Amino acid sequence: MRLTKFGHACVRIEKDDRHLVVDPGGLTEPHALDGADAVLVTHEHFDHFSEETLRKAAENNPALHIWTNAPVARQLDGLGARVTPVGEGETFTAAGFEVKVYGTWHAAIHSDIPPIGNIGFLIDDALFHPGDALTVPDATVDTLLLPVHGPWSTTGQLIDYVREVAPQDTYAIHDGALNDVGTAMVGGFLGANGPGIGARYHRLAAGTSVDIG
């Protein structure tokens, strides 16, 4: 399985000439969807979901299929059966990858901000993208995509989250708002010089690929 990071929170997963893209949002380079067979979207925030980008990709590729939660699916009205709403506990096959859905809600930012839905995707029983939530799946996770920066989490929470999920490897995502100082600071706590997360910590530059699994 090959993992490529695109921009902020988007990744592309490739295996045997099959291409699955997760969370191509407004901070993602549009070419991340080139050659994609399927797309997963965790929630409706602009940095994870771009209606314009997905509609254009669907227009360019009539075989493209999208799985997401109900609120995002409603915004893609008109694409018909090419969009499938899914929720907690459901399983499906996307571009030949087996996917399980975990979680329901976006992490709370503040009590005055209404909650929105958020789902995470466990792909091929190996790689987990939680979206904007610290959801712990009831399954073994080899590779965790960790949202390392957001207005709803602290570095201490991230340390405890990785310890609870207990993956072998953790890759940083959701880091588009961090400058070089911020990424170094987060990496210092989550990496080998920190208090210990029980997993190898990695951060890929945008457009960089790595073989996992």
Side-chain angles (χ1 to χ4, degrees):
M1 187 183 298
R2 190 159 184 78
L3 172 71
T4 303
K5 181 181 178 183
F6 286 93
H8 177 61
C10 177
V11 297
R12 184 169 65 200
I13 301 149
E14 303 170 68
K15 185 177 181 181
D16 300 330
D17 202 32
R18 296 176 281 117
H19 305 82
L20 177 65
V21 176
V22 186
D23 278 4
L27 302 177
T28 301
E29 306 90 332
H31 69 266
L33 286 162
D34 291 351
D37 301 299
V39 175
L40 310 180
V41 179
T42 62
H43 67 287
E44 61 193 281
H45 281 161
F46 86 98
D47 52 335
H48 296 256
F49 166 60
S50 169
E51 178 183 350
E52 179 182 2
T53 298
L54 282 183
R55 287 190 181 277
K56 184 175 292 186
E59 179 181 346
N60 293 336
N61 178 9
L64 184 70
H65 197 102
I66 301 162
W67 283 265
T68 184
N69 65 4
V72 173
R74 286 193 291 269
Q75 295 184 53
L76 294 171
D77 183 51
L79 293 181
R82 299 174 62 187
V83 178
T84 301
V86 292
E88 167 94 72
E90 294 191 59
T91 61
F92 57 92
T93 301
F97 294 91
E98 297 302 314
V99 183
K100 298 179 182 178
V101 182
Y102 287 91
T104 304
W105 296 106
H106 190 288
I109 299 174
H110 190 273
S111 59
D112 289 343
I113 299 176
I116 67 165
N118 178 95
I119 52 178
F121 300 106
L122 179 63
I123 300 167
D124 273 359
D125 289 320
L127 181 146
F128 186 59
H129 191 311
D132 278 4
L134 301 182
T135 303
V136 179
D138 60 349
T140 299
V141 174
D142 294 331
T143 302
L144 174 65
L145 302 180
L146 181 66
V148 297
H149 179 259
W152 41 267
S153 70
T154 67
T155 303
Q157 288 174 315
L158 298 178
I159 291 169
D160 290 340
Y161 176 58
V162 178
R163 289 176 177 177
E164 188 170 3
V165 176
Q168 296 179 17
D169 290 277
T170 295
Y171 286 85
I173 59 170
H174 212 275
D175 55 0
L178 291 175
N179 60 18
D180 290 343
V181 174
T183 55
M185 185 180 301
V186 170
F189 284 109
L190 296 173
N193 294 324
I197 58 175
R200 294 180 292 263
Y201 174 78
H202 316 270
R203 180 175 181 268
L204 299 177
T208 303
S209 301
V210 63
D211 290 327
I212 62 175

